[in-house]
Amino acid sequence: MSRKVILITGGSRGIGAATAQLAATQGYAVCISYLGNRAAADEVVQAILNAGGEAIAVQADVSSQEDVVRLFGAVDQSLGDIDALVNNAGILEHQMRVEDMDAGRLARVFATNVTGSFLCAREAVRRMSTARGGRGGSIVNLSSIAAKLGAPNEYVDYAASKAAIDAMTIGLAKEVAAEGIRVNAVRPGVIYTEIHASGGEPGRVDRVKEAVPMKRGGDAIEVANAVLWLLSDQASYTTGSFIDVAGGR
Ligand code: NAP
């Protein structure tokens, strides 16, 4: 069997890094993208290479059309035809109420989380669609359980951006279903990664875990497992679907 090629945006840390390493163990040739943390990206690539896998890292801001086009060009050139895309790169900003949010913050959050996912999905569909000469493929978007809960008093903007990702997942799945492409999403709950530090509260998972029915935070690998299942042929009749990896929340 020929190897499959996967692009994981924001694969330098957290859920993206765990997904990249798991994908490599399943035989994927991996491209991770990152925004600025080159050392973290290099570490993920090195771990995959050390284990006998194939991996590259490319710096690219997913909210920049130019960068996204360059990123996909790098995958074409270095790894070959893309089979799988994980729209994982995502941000949130300091916890605050909606009444305190300004336009700059809203633009940044929506540019990375929504525009970035759309641009990457666009480039993937252009390559994967059987209507365009491609051989099909699979896309998984990282949404959040916040899309259903709304994240009041923390980041309603982030929650709304993830609700946009849910709508995009449903619509794009239907748009390309007959062209060999499946589109699904995972909604993580509170997962131990550095994203909570960006919200101003590195210890957030431990604060909120009592509100999780399972009474604990999740690990990045628990999310990665769901992502890899959705990408796999085992999910061959699954599209426009969601897996909540949120401990029952
Ligand atoms: P994280 O630890 O903060 O890592 C974020 C990753 O995204 C890093 O690799 C970062 O690159 C990259 N990134 C950020 N902005 C980018 C941009 N504009 N262009 C390209 N890459 C960018 O995040 P995480 O917790 O693993 O979250 C991953 C995804 O899961 C996100 O979409 C997040 O919303 C979602 N999620 C997370 C949780 C959770 O509790 N952790 C819950 C629900 C959903 P650098 O390393 O270069 O900065």
Side-chain angles (χ1 to χ4, degrees), residues 10-16 33-37 60-63 88-91 112 142-145 158 162 188-191 193-196 198:
S12 48
R13 293 184 287 123
I15 292 167
S33 73
Y34 64 100
L35 180 60
N37 199 333
D61 180 347
V62 293
S63 69
N88 169 79
I91 57 164
T112 296
L142 266 294
S143 172
S144 169
I145 205 69
Y158 169 81
K162 294 301 185 175
V190 281
I191 310 299
T193 73
E194 292 167 357
I195 203 170
H196 307 287
S198 337

Side-chain angles (χ1 to χ4, degrees), residues 85-106:
L85 165 68
V86 183
N87 267 322
N88 169 79
I91 57 164
L92 49 75
E93 298 207 356
H94 267 231
Q95 297 169 4
M96 65 174 65
R97 289 165 56 97
V98 170
E99 68 215 50
D100 295 322
M101 291 177 187
D102 64 17
R105 169 186 170 122
L106 296 172

Side-chain angles (χ1 to χ4, degrees), residues 71-249:
L71 169 63
F72 276 77
V75 174
D76 296 339
Q77 292 264 306
S78 303
L79 301 179
D81 294 341
I82 187 169
D83 297 287
L85 165 68
V86 183
N87 267 322
N88 169 79
I91 57 164
L92 49 75
E93 298 207 356
H94 267 231
Q95 297 169 4
M96 65 174 65
R97 289 165 56 97
V98 170
E99 68 215 50
D100 295 322
M101 291 177 187
D102 64 17
R105 169 186 170 122
L106 296 172
R108 289 189 296 275
V109 169
F110 279 81
T112 296
N113 297 1
V114 183
T115 304
S117 297
F118 266 84
L119 291 174
C120 292
R122 181 191 79 185
E123 292 303 310
V125 168
R126 287 180 178 176
R127 289 163 172 79
M128 294 173 177
S129 172
T130 53
R132 288 169 165 263
R135 60 185 188 202
S138 186
I139 298 172
V140 171
N141 297 320
L142 266 294
S143 172
S144 169
I145 205 69
K148 291 163 88 174
L149 302 177
N153 302 306
E154 292 190 319
Y155 15 71
V156 174
D157 54 343
Y158 169 81
S161 76
K162 294 301 185 175
I165 290 303
D166 286 5
M168 186 267 255
T169 301
I170 294 165
L172 182 61
K174 291 176 179 169
E175 205 166 279
V176 298
E179 297 168 22
I181 307 173
R182 295 183 301 103
V183 185
N184 293 288
V186 174
R187 292 193 197 99
V190 281
I191 310 299
Y192 287 100
T193 73
E194 292 167 357
I195 203 170
H196 307 287
S198 337
E201 190 185 2
R204 176 172 176 268
V205 178
D206 287 328
R207 174 176 61 84
V208 305
K209 69 182 180 191
E210 282 308 309
V212 176
M214 287 178 75
K215 305 287 180 204
R216 69 170 179 88
D219 288 324
I221 187 66
E222 297 180 285
V223 181
N225 279 320
V227 172
L228 265 297
W229 182 78
L230 284 168
L231 291 175
S232 78
D233 289 341
Q234 292 185 341
S236 52
Y237 199 51
T238 302
T239 197
S241 283
F242 298 82
I243 299 180
D244 291 355
V245 183
R249 234 171 142 210

